[in-house]
Amino acid sequence: MGLPRFSRPKGVDGELSPNLYVANCGPAVGLSFDTIASVFSTFGEVKGVYPADDSGARVIVSYFEESAAQAALKALDGHPCPALGGRFLHIRYSIFQPPSQVNDSVPVSLVDSELNIPGIYLLHDFVSAKEEEELLAAVDKMSWKSLSKRRVQHYGYEFCYEVNEYPPGVGLSPHIDTHSAFEGFIFSLSLAGPCIMDFRRYTEGVWPKSASSSDMSVEYPDKSSSFLRRAIYLPPRSMLLLSGEARYAWHHYIPHHKIDMVKDSVIRRGPRRVSFTFRKVRTGPCQCEFPQYCDSPR
């Protein structure tokens, strides 16, 4: 079950509510949810503390009673809070959004067997901490090519993005690596920082007519299409293998977040994440069992 969702207040005072939007407060500024709940519980029973967005510096404090929220807002808004390191909190009321108004979140798996997607394998601690350090040092000695939001290094064919560097909050749009360009397995080694990788399988064929073998991937279809969805946590030094159905029929992507929720725990992405991606260039037409996702001529 996903965490409850709340709307960010739009007015100065907002609408009276048992839920408070609290800025300058959260894991990104060194305050745990337990610490925040303990401080706010002096005004009444706290139902829960939740991330307000992906920043890690804003939270929702949810009370059982509106009177408790009102008392907390009056006492803490715009004043230094000694119990929270003297921070000045900026507080407004927040409104709970019923499930019909938001997209349902998906549970994040820690191991590949929980995904129920044939062909996905995740190996933890594939390299040691020392090997990770040596690999990062090696790539940092080489030249990077800047894209719109991340940097890459190429080995082999130019469109083979063999090394990708992701700054905090930068992800990857949903895509399937083109069938006509690459054959066999796809390996991805995560270094330096963690992330969440999502997988979607759409119910209809998705390959656009304009695709060609020079494209690395194609981002299709639009968000209105129906799909199955899964997600897995990729810790540093882990190796992800995509094969079979997972490689040829499921879109994969990395959400653009600075923090991720994993089993109700907040995981903040590191200052960088470097992905070593290994693919084999195809020399003949694709003969996969998923023609509705395939761009290769039959």
Side-chain angles (χ1 to χ4, degrees), residues 155-228:
Y155 304 92
Y157 285 88
E158 179 72 12
F159 55 81
C160 295
Y161 292 152
E162 298 296 345
V163 181
N164 298 272
E165 182 191 49
Y166 300 85
V170 174
L172 190 64
S173 299
H175 69 280
I176 295 177
D177 289 28
T178 53
H179 294 202
S180 61
F182 308 110
E183 66 173 302
F185 303 154
I186 295 176
F187 296 88
S188 179
L189 176 64
S190 296
L191 301 180
C195 75
I196 301 297
M197 182 167 283
D198 277 34
F199 295 89
R200 295 179 181 181
R201 180 162 183 178
Y202 293 88
T203 57
E204 300 177 356
V206 299
W207 202 271
K209 294 180 180 179
S210 61
S212 69
S213 60
S214 63
D215 297 318
M216 181 185 109
S217 61
V218 174
E219 302 168 8
Y220 260 72
D222 60 39
K223 295 180 180 179
S224 63
S225 302
S226 58
F227 53 83
L228 299 174

Side-chain angles (χ1 to χ4, degrees), residues 96-211:
F96 173 72
Q97 291 182 305
S100 60
Q101 296 181 16
V102 298
N103 294 327
D104 291 334
S105 59
V106 60
V108 177
S109 300
L110 297 178
V111 294
D112 51 42
S113 59
E114 295 178 352
L115 286 176
N116 195 28
I117 300 178
I120 285 186
Y121 302 92
L122 179 65
L123 302 178
H124 290 245
D125 297 313
F126 184 80
V127 296
S128 67
K130 186 176 186 300
E131 289 172 326
E132 176 186 42
E133 182 180 349
E134 292 172 347
L135 286 168
L136 291 172
V139 297
D140 283 337
K141 291 179 181 178
M142 303 178 68
S143 298
W144 291 89
K145 179 179 180 180
S146 295
L147 301 181
S148 59
K149 294 183 179 180
R150 56 193 171 99
R151 300 190 303 171
V152 299
Q153 290 182 13
H154 304 290
Y155 304 92
Y157 285 88
E158 179 72 12
F159 55 81
C160 295
Y161 292 152
E162 298 296 345
V163 181
N164 298 272
E165 182 191 49
Y166 300 85
V170 174
L172 190 64
S173 299
H175 69 280
I176 295 177
D177 289 28
T178 53
H179 294 202
S180 61
F182 308 110
E183 66 173 302
F185 303 154
I186 295 176
F187 296 88
S188 179
L189 176 64
S190 296
L191 301 180
C195 75
I196 301 297
M197 182 167 283
D198 277 34
F199 295 89
R200 295 179 181 181
R201 180 162 183 178
Y202 293 88
T203 57
E204 300 177 356
V206 299
W207 202 271
K209 294 180 180 179
S210 61

Side-chain angles (χ1 to χ4, degrees), residues 9 12-13 19-23 40 69 72-78 89-93:
V12 176
D13 297 319
N19 310 305
L20 297 177
Y21 174 92
V22 186
F40 278 82
L73 186 149
K74 183 178 180 180
L76 299 178
D77 179 40
L89 305 181
H90 306 282
I91 306 176
R92 295 293 182 267
Y93 291 114

Side-chain angles (χ1 to χ4, degrees), residues 46-58:
V46 173
K47 182 187 296 185
V49 178
Y50 314 100
D53 50 36
D54 296 330
S55 70
R58 293 178 281 270

